[in-house]
Amino acid sequence: MEKIVEPDGYIDRLEPRHKVTDPNLVERLEESMKKCGWVGRPLIIAKFRQGDGYKYEGITGCHRATAAMNIGIPIPAVFVSPEDMTPEDWDFIMTNSEGLDVLFDRINLAKAAELIRQEGVLGNTAAEVKPPERDKTKGRRFSVKRGEP
């Protein structure tokens, strides 16, 4: 399993790009988050300047974001700035779910591209996310039997 991308920061609220289509998934996510907190990869979030602050729009993870907001836990985010993209790039992001990794690579957003590649590989809940494989040569404990002198 690949290493989960580190978030740029955490937010409390965002506007999801898509509407929730599976309320049962949101329920499972809420239960998982109540027990284990946020598990797995951060969301890709568009960060817009708005007055003295920012407005956040989710690009990925509408179900995870909804569950986190429902129970009041922070959402880990990798931020992209629409101001750094062409209008065509932004339109593509907002209307497509395929090919986003290629676009993010092209516009030098490596963390966002890696998260898109992990979308189909990693799960959403604590029960689905498998811990990374442990290097079996590190951290091994040995017991040594001492012989009598």
Side-chain angles (χ1 to χ4, degrees):
M1 173 173 155
E2 298 178 37
K3 182 178 184 247
I4 294 174
V5 174
E6 290 295 319
D8 295 332
Y10 293 83
I11 58 174
D12 295 323
R13 300 223 49 86
L14 65 87
E15 193 62 39
R17 175 172 82 150
H18 303 293
K19 297 207 181 301
V20 168
T21 58
D22 186 349
N24 292 329
L25 175 58
V26 173
E27 264 183 47
R28 286 195 322 272
L29 289 166
E30 287 174 4
E31 289 305 310
S32 174
M33 289 176 184
K34 284 176 188 174
K35 291 178 189 168
C36 305
W38 187 280
V39 176
R41 65 201 178 282
L43 303 185
I44 300 173
I45 307 294
K47 183 177 180 178
F48 295 92
R49 286 205 179 279
Q50 189 173 45
D52 292 339
Y54 294 96
K55 172 186 167 193
Y56 302 101
E57 286 186 22
I59 295 174
T60 60
C62 67
H63 290 83
R64 289 173 282 158
T66 300
M69 288 186 294
N70 286 350
I71 64 170
I73 67 169
I75 301 165
V78 167
F79 298 111
V80 299
S81 174
E83 295 142 357
D84 296 335
M85 299 176 208
T86 67
E88 293 80 20
D89 290 339
W90 182 244
D91 286 345
F92 183 84
I93 289 168
M94 295 313 291
T95 57
N96 292 281
S97 56
E98 299 292 322
L100 292 178
D101 57 333
V102 174
L103 172 67
F104 287 140
D105 277 333
R106 184 174 59 76
I107 59 178
N108 297 318
L109 296 172
K111 284 174 89 171
E114 182 57 29
L115 282 171
I116 291 295
R117 285 190 278 276
Q118 290 179 358
E119 276 292 308
V121 178
L122 300 174
N124 292 318
T125 67
E128 296 169 329
V129 175
K130 308 253 185 304
E133 281 289 315
R134 184 174 78 85
D135 184 346
K136 292 177 175 46
T137 63
K138 293 185 179 171
R140 185 176 286 185
R141 295 181 185 259
F142 295 95
S143 63
V144 178
K145 291 185 181 180
R146 295 181 185 247
E148 292 197 22

